[in-house]
Amino acid sequence: MAKLTQSKQKKLTFMDIIKGNFLNRDEVKAHYKYFLFIFGLLLIMIYTNHHVNTKIERINKLKEETEEYKSRNAYAQSRLIKIRMESELGKEMVQDSLVSLDSHPLKLLIKPDSTDEKSE
């Protein structure tokens, strides 16, 4: 009968892990395919996470632009309403034969005179 030989594995130390010597063990060599598969999955996960982050940044930038365009639109609409109102008033003034003033009117202040009260 054949004699069973058991190879004694030396203990795994912290320095072996740091140097990477644990990758040369026989039990690890049998599972390289799985390690490479997991490594590939990790790379894909990192890439998709980066891709999602760039999409989120782009979405935030587009949201800021839409807010800016909304505020510009509101300002333009308010100005348009004001211009329409002024043009409608101008048409009505022309129909009533009124002309807009070139200079502003003066306000006259009349103070009652104390001599006028005594004469009455």
Side-chain angles (χ1 to χ4, degrees):
M1 285 214 214
K3 194 176 192 185
L4 293 174
T5 59
Q6 292 182 355
S7 62
K8 290 187 177 180
Q9 295 285 333
K10 67 177 189 174
K11 269 189 163 180
L12 188 64
T13 63
F14 181 70
M15 289 306 291
D16 288 336
I17 294 172
I18 290 178
K19 291 180 182 177
N21 291 340
F22 69 96
L23 294 174
N24 292 331
R25 295 183 139 196
D26 292 334
E27 59 266 4
V28 175
K29 288 181 182 179
H31 301 291
Y32 267 126
K33 294 177 199 175
Y34 300 113
F35 291 135
L36 290 176
F37 178 70
I38 290 172
F39 181 73
L41 287 178
L42 288 174
L43 286 178
I44 291 171
M45 189 176 75
I46 291 170
Y47 171 74
T48 55
N49 190 17
H50 175 70
H51 191 65
V52 167
N53 285 340
T54 55
K55 291 281 185 181
I56 289 172
E57 289 174 3
R58 186 165 182 242
I59 288 170
N60 289 337
K61 182 179 176 184
L62 291 174
K63 281 183 182 178
E64 289 176 4
E65 287 181 10
T66 55
E67 291 297 322
E68 181 181 345
Y69 289 136
K70 282 180 184 178
S71 65
R72 284 185 185 181
N73 186 25
Y75 177 71
Q77 284 180 350
S78 66
R79 289 206 47 200
L80 179 64
I81 290 171
K82 185 177 179 183
I83 290 171
R84 283 184 183 169
M85 192 182 309
E86 288 175 357
S87 65
E88 290 295 321
L89 286 174
K91 289 177 186 176
E92 289 182 19
M93 286 174 53
V94 169
Q95 288 175 354
D96 294 337
S97 68
L98 297 174
V99 181
S100 61
L101 297 175
D102 294 334
S103 62
H104 296 290
L106 300 174
K107 185 176 183 180
L108 298 176
L109 298 175
I110 300 174
K111 293 183 180 179
D113 202 12
S114 61
T115 56
D116 291 336
E117 292 177 6
K118 292 179 184 176
S119 63
E120 291 179 3

